[in-house]
Amino acid sequence: MASNGGSYSNGGSHSNGCLDFNGCSGLSVTIPVGSTFTSPFEDSPRAEDEARKPLSLWPGMYHSPVTYALWEARSRVFDRLYSPNDDAPPQSQLRTRTPFHSRTTILYNFSTDYILREQYRDPWNEVRMGKLLEDLDALASTIAFKHCSDEDSLTRPLLLVTAAVDKMVLKKALSVAVDLKMGGAVIWVGRSSLEIQLEVTQPSFGKSDASEPIALTANFIFVARDSKTGKGAPVNRLSPETEREKLLYKEAEARQESRKQKNVNDRKEIENGEVNRLEALLAEGRIFCDIPALADRDTILLRDTRLENSLICQPQQRNLHCRIFGGFLMHRAFELAFSTAYAFAGMMPCFLEVDHVDFLRPVDVGDFLRFKSCVLFTEFENTDQPLINVEVVAHVTRPELRSSELSNKFYFTFTVCPVAKAQNNGLKIRKVVPATEEEARRILEHKQMVSRSPKTESKKAGFYRV
């Protein structure tokens, strides 16, 4: 390259001490750009290497360091996952696994890895919950894969799909200054479904690693499908060994039976005993609609708490099956829910738990996805810790077909940070009321679901941001 004008000299420094990016010198400047990501595989494909896997078959490049680490850990079997022989027989020889077989643990070295800390830090120097939700989903899918794999290269691998998050409870704030562990195992198995329980532990700041209280628990439900037919496929059996594993199995089995009865019971309760409550909710909302000047100033319509965002699903956000990664959807839904609670309360919210998540249909690359959120209802059982229940629904919208399909439902619970509440003395959390029968039914259905679940430690004792 020439050494005059706006170029670099052979030594790599500019001849006149100033690189002219504005083109005043009349010379064109080309700045090479390289990828800042590493491949989740041991060997990255190169353009000149035709034998390597096509780039289109990689998982997306959006994901977190933990997701990459998990995918790299099982990269040796990716070729069989991505390029299965359609003529190969399905997995038929079911094996019996113990929970120990699928147990997997992740360690976040926040105390020594400052780059990792920066990747997970939120504005309050705590762990960014949206990214943690991504990691939880990725870890749960790895555990499901380990349990269901028959380790036979001559059979078709199963397609494992996240069906729901049954419960996720945050019991203490998570700091980015202290190392954090995330681990879990399969705790229950049905014919074609399995439940995975995850725990996040973190010692208190300044204490030894011997003290690692549980900071978060989560239960994921996965279903297995035949990768060729798409129909439900049987999965390996589970044999709990310890007393704790047997107890977790029984509890998960009871939850499964409860889920089967949920929809029937919800309809019966509304038909038989909830009509009066439905009418009472609507009566409060009609005051806002018909005579707003006389409405209670401590009450607000559900529709006035709404927020919305939308996106086109990009290939960088895909999972191993070339569909949008479920953890990414949870991440986006959480951050919208947090913003909704923040705008509603007028002060900093504190996340308590994920009440429930339903993955109703897959989301594909290129889909136009719309997230809509609202404050579904508030609770004032503990006046010092009002609860804000936020609903987020995601729809796949197809403008060319004039259609919109529900893909996901998310339910989050927040409270308010005590420091923020002290600084906003006199600012009240409003009661939310519906304006339509459809909104009233959504409120009642979710209240019934919450009332049937046991009160968590975060709701009983109160959880506040550290």
Side-chain angles (χ1 to χ4, degrees):
M1 183 181 290
S3 60
N4 63 339
S7 64
Y8 284 104
S9 66
N10 292 334
S13 61
H14 192 264
S15 60
N16 61 11
C18 178
L19 180 61
D20 185 2
F21 283 102
N22 296 320
C24 296
S25 63
L27 295 179
S28 174
V29 177
T30 300
I31 303 174
V33 176
S35 171
T36 59
F37 290 98
T38 58
S39 164
F41 299 96
E42 293 176 355
D43 298 303
S44 301
R46 298 177 180 84
E48 67 275 8
D49 193 344
E50 296 181 357
R52 295 179 184 271
K53 191 188 324 299
L55 187 62
S56 61
L57 295 183
W58 281 29
M61 299 299 289
Y62 168 88
H63 310 300
S64 73
V66 166
T67 304
Y68 282 128
L70 289 168
W71 284 346
E72 187 173 4
R74 42 185 175 135
S75 62
R76 293 178 181 177
V77 294
F78 279 174
D79 285 332
R80 188 169 72 89
L81 280 174
Y82 276 132
S83 306
N85 183 357
D86 288 339
D87 296 327
Q91 294 184 187
S92 58
Q93 297 298 321
L94 298 182
R95 304 187 179 191
T96 299
R97 311 283 198 194
T98 65
F100 180 79
H101 180 274
S102 64
R103 182 163 297 280
T104 307
T105 302
I106 298 267
L107 173 64
Y108 297 76
N109 292 307
F110 287 141
S111 61
T112 56
D113 192 332
Y114 295 99
I115 296 177
L116 183 68
R117 183 189 300 183
E118 185 64 19
Q119 287 181 284
Y120 281 85
R121 184 171 66 88
D122 74 3
W124 305 279
N125 287 317
E126 293 175 3
V127 174
R128 189 174 169 186
M129 287 304 303
K131 290 185 73 67
L132 196 68
L133 294 182
E134 279 195 48
D135 294 350
L136 287 164
D137 186 62
L139 177 58
S141 65
T142 296
I143 291 170
F145 174 86
K146 288 176 68 175
H147 176 85
C148 296
S149 175
D150 65 354
E151 301 172 0
D152 185 351
S153 61
L154 299 179
T155 60
R156 287 201 304 271
L158 296 177
L159 176 64
L160 296 169
V161 181
T162 310
V165 179
D166 192 59
K167 200 73 170 177
M168 185 182 298
V169 181
L170 183 66
K171 300 180 179 182
K172 64 187 289 287
L174 300 173
S175 170
V176 289
V178 184
D179 288 350
L180 181 145
K181 285 183 182 177
M182 177 195 299
V186 175
I187 62 170
W188 176 87
V189 166
R191 180 189 174 274
S192 60
S193 60
L194 57 158
E195 182 168 337
I196 294 157
Q197 185 174 85
L198 305 179
E199 292 181 344
V200 175
T201 59
Q202 187 177 55
S204 300
F205 187 77
K207 294 188 178 181
S208 65
D209 291 340
S211 173
E212 290 187 341
I214 296 175
L216 182 146
T217 59
N219 289 65
F220 282 74
I221 312 297
F222 279 76
V223 294
R225 298 281 184 265
D226 186 289
S227 57
K228 181 179 180 180
T229 66
K231 296 180 179 180
V235 297
N236 290 330
R237 305 297 90 198
L238 184 70
S239 176
E241 294 181 318
T242 68
E243 290 302 317
R244 173 171 169 74
E245 289 171 354
K246 292 175 182 177
L247 177 62
L248 290 173
Y249 188 95
K250 289 181 180 179
E251 291 175 347
E253 198 165 42
R255 285 192 296 271
Q256 176 68 9
E257 290 299 320
S258 177
R259 280 191 288 270
K260 289 179 180 179
Q261 296 297 323
K262 175 182 177 296
N263 292 334
V264 175
N265 291 340
D266 284 351
R267 286 194 295 269
K268 286 182 179 179
E269 286 178 15
I270 290 180
E271 290 171 2
N272 298 332
E274 298 298 320
V275 175
N276 292 337
R277 291 181 62 190
L278 193 71
E279 287 299 323
L281 277 174
L282 288 172
E284 293 183 80
R286 288 193 194 101
I287 297 175
F288 271 91
C289 298
D290 299 339
I291 42 177
L294 301 179
D296 185 352
R297 291 297 175 260
D298 291 332
T299 305
I300 187 173
L301 287 175
L302 181 151
R303 67 189 182 197
D304 293 332
T305 69
R306 290 174 178 166
L307 290 181
E308 179 178 343
N309 60 30
S310 59
L311 59 105
I312 301 297
C313 297
Q314 303 295 338
Q316 292 80 12
Q317 297 147 1
R318 68 189 183 274
N319 63 14
L320 301 178
H321 307 295
C322 290
R323 284 179 163 157
I324 298 303
F325 178 42
F328 170 77
L329 301 176
M330 293 173 65
H331 185 166
R332 292 299 297 258
F334 173 84
E335 297 199 341
L336 179 60
F338 184 93
S339 301
T340 304
Y342 199 174
F344 170 78
M347 61 187 92
M348 188 60 60
C350 286
F351 169 66
L352 292 179
E353 65 183 49
V354 177
D355 291 319
H356 194 74
V357 175
D358 283 317
F359 293 85
L360 303 174
R361 70 171 299 268
V363 181
D364 294 319
V365 172
D367 280 349
F368 175 23
L369 193 64
R370 301 179 69 182
F371 289 93
K372 298 180 181 180
S373 67
C374 69
V375 177
L376 203 57
F377 60 92
T378 51
E379 298 177 80
F380 302 95
E381 184 178 336
N382 182 349
T383 55
D384 291 331
Q385 188 193 24
L387 302 181
I388 305 167
N389 293 271
V390 179
E391 176 192 63
V392 180
V393 295
H395 287 83
V396 172
T397 303
R398 303 182 187 279
E400 67 276 10
L401 300 177
R402 295 176 175 81
S403 70
S404 182
E405 293 182 76
L406 179 64
S407 63
N408 302 86
K409 285 185 178 180
F410 308 85
Y411 296 95
F412 303 91
T413 301
F414 297 86
T415 186
V416 291
C417 179
V419 175
K421 189 176 181 182
Q423 293 173 348
N424 290 273
N425 190 25
L427 186 62
K428 295 182 178 179
I429 301 297
R430 292 184 177 187
K431 180 181 179 181
V432 177
V433 295
T436 67
E437 183 175 331
E438 186 269 338
E439 291 175 350
R441 287 184 179 274
R442 280 161 49 200
I443 293 173
L444 289 179
E445 286 173 2
H446 189 59
K447 280 187 174 181
Q448 288 164 0
M449 181 183 72
V450 171
S451 66
R452 282 195 296 269
S453 63
K455 291 291 183 181
T456 60
E457 290 182 29
S458 61
K459 286 187 176 181
K460 287 188 293 185
F463 165 72
Y464 295 130
R465 185 178 299 281
V466 176

